[in-house]
Amino acid sequence: MTDLPGGYVRGTDHSGILLLLSATFFFVCTNVVIKFLSEEMTVFQITWGRMVFHWVVFLPLFFLPKHRGATRPRRPTLQIIRSAILFCTNTLFFSSLFYLTLATSASIMYAGPLVLVILSHLFLGEKVGPRRWSAVAIGLVGIAIIMRPGDDFDLTMLLPLGAAVCYALYQLVTRAVAAEDDPFTTMFWTPVFGIVAASVLMIFFWHNPSATGWAWLVCCGFTAGAGQFLLIAAFSRSEASLLAPFGYSTLLWAILAGIVIFENYPGAMTLVGATIVVSAGLYIWWRERQISHSKQDGKLILRV
């Protein structure tokens, strides 16, 4: 599950695409590691390790001369709120990996962009026209197909759905933070609440991991940190509007990893639902990009 720090001057070349594809690969590697860790640890212990070792990966950057002083935020309360939302997102999504396949969890998480449209309308007053509302509705139908509500409904599918809602909130707060703080400041504060909260929970949930467990925890932090670094590099080289569709490659990596490593083949309903959700998300992206270009050309149009 992943952060999009703002504030970088994005280039116009396409080299960011390869970096973004690499980032999504590392994020799925993190999810694979979490599934291995789920056999030995609780979700809170895994979240603790992911946050702590992720932070350790990035910490040396803040000792570089050009980043000294970047740890002081202009809006600390907003940074803490953002970090808390990410902690909730990670905990819910990681919990889903205890019970669901990588492909199922990843597919349901793609409800995030749909929820973001709704939240942006409710809290930011963004105008949403009938075309994008239709895309949101169709995407939610795709989520329903994956989750298959009914007599045999699996309640654990609510975990990635809750994570998707939290992540949409996280993106809203990230927009506000990006307007105030340097991206390295945001990167420093991103795991802080999770580290503190998970450390407190360790009083009740800690048990000594095996040597293999410690190795997997370190690996989890490394892959998550590497993914974040590649993500930042991607958005610093290429426009966000160019890169956005390639974020859906996470689903392809998840399906491949599920098949190759866990021998979990996604069912037909999961594939159909995922296709609908991704298509709806891509349409929303395309429509927002079209509107943005129209505004840049000086043609103010209604968001539809």
Side-chain angles (χ1 to χ4, degrees):
M1 301 319 320
T2 67
D3 177 21
L4 300 178
Y8 282 90
V9 177
R10 295 171 174 88
T12 56
D13 63 86
H14 292 187
S15 60
I17 294 175
L18 181 59
L19 290 169
L20 182 63
L21 292 175
S22 300
T24 59
F25 173 78
F26 274 101
F27 291 144
V28 171
C29 286
T30 302
N31 296 340
V32 169
V33 171
I34 289 169
K35 285 193 75 70
F36 284 128
L37 286 171
S38 67
E39 300 175 0
E40 181 179 346
M41 302 178 191
T42 67
V43 66
F44 297 113
Q45 195 167 2
I46 293 172
T47 303
W48 174 85
R50 182 253 189 266
M51 293 289 186
V52 168
F53 292 112
H54 172 188
W55 207 42
V56 168
V57 168
F58 276 125
L59 205 54
L61 294 176
F62 295 95
F63 291 96
L64 297 176
K66 64 178 179 179
H67 298 310
R68 287 175 186 170
T71 58
R72 292 190 291 272
R74 294 178 181 174
R75 302 188 65 181
T77 302
L78 205 58
Q79 288 284 5
I80 292 297
I81 291 173
R82 178 178 175 275
S83 181
I85 296 172
L86 182 62
F87 172 71
C88 294
T89 303
N90 284 338
T91 302
L92 288 168
F93 184 72
F94 294 170
S95 296
S96 76
L97 296 176
F98 278 57
Y99 308 103
L100 305 173
T101 65
L102 292 172
T104 300
S105 291
S107 299
I108 297 174
M109 269 295 291
Y110 280 126
L114 310 177
V115 176
L116 183 60
V117 172
I118 299 172
L119 295 181
S120 297
H121 174 70
L122 293 176
F123 295 106
L124 301 182
E126 291 190 2
K127 294 181 179 179
V128 181
R131 297 185 195 180
R132 285 196 294 157
W133 280 129
S134 298
V136 169
I138 292 171
L140 293 178
V141 169
I143 294 295
I145 291 174
I146 298 170
M147 299 179 70
R148 298 186 294 280
D151 295 336
D152 58 346
F153 174 63
D154 186 351
L155 287 174
T156 59
M157 289 194 178
L158 293 176
L159 293 170
L161 184 61
V165 173
C166 287
Y167 189 64
L169 285 169
Y170 173 78
Q171 289 178 299
L172 281 184
V173 179
T174 297
R175 290 183 184 179
V177 168
E180 299 286 342
D181 286 328
D182 181 271
F184 268 85
T185 305
T186 299
M187 188 167 63
F188 177 85
W189 282 90
T190 292
V192 167
F193 181 92
I195 291 174
V196 174
S199 296
V200 172
L201 289 169
M202 287 306 93
I203 298 173
F204 308 99
F205 294 100
W206 179 265
H207 67 270
N208 291 325
S210 63
T212 302
W214 276 115
W216 279 124
L217 273 180
V218 174
C219 184
C220 181
F222 172 78
T223 55
Q228 287 291 335
F229 182 82
L230 289 167
L231 187 69
I232 292 170
F235 278 83
S236 68
R237 294 191 176 210
S238 302
E239 295 287 343
S241 59
L242 171 68
L243 296 177
F246 296 93
Y248 288 96
S249 61
T250 303
L251 182 57
L252 297 178
W253 292 126
I255 291 174
L256 288 174
I259 293 173
V260 174
I261 300 174
F262 301 105
E263 297 184 356
N264 292 327
Y265 292 84
M269 299 299 284
T270 298
L271 291 175
V272 170
T275 300
I276 293 173
V277 173
V278 170
S279 298
L282 288 174
Y283 177 81
I284 290 172
W285 159 80
W286 173 81
R287 189 62 187 155
E288 289 181 345
R289 188 181 186 188
Q290 187 180 53
I291 292 167
S292 176
H293 285 172
S294 296
K295 285 187 174 182
Q296 289 174 6
D297 291 338
K299 302 173 183 177
L300 295 178
I301 61 174
L302 179 67
R303 280 183 175 266
V304 295

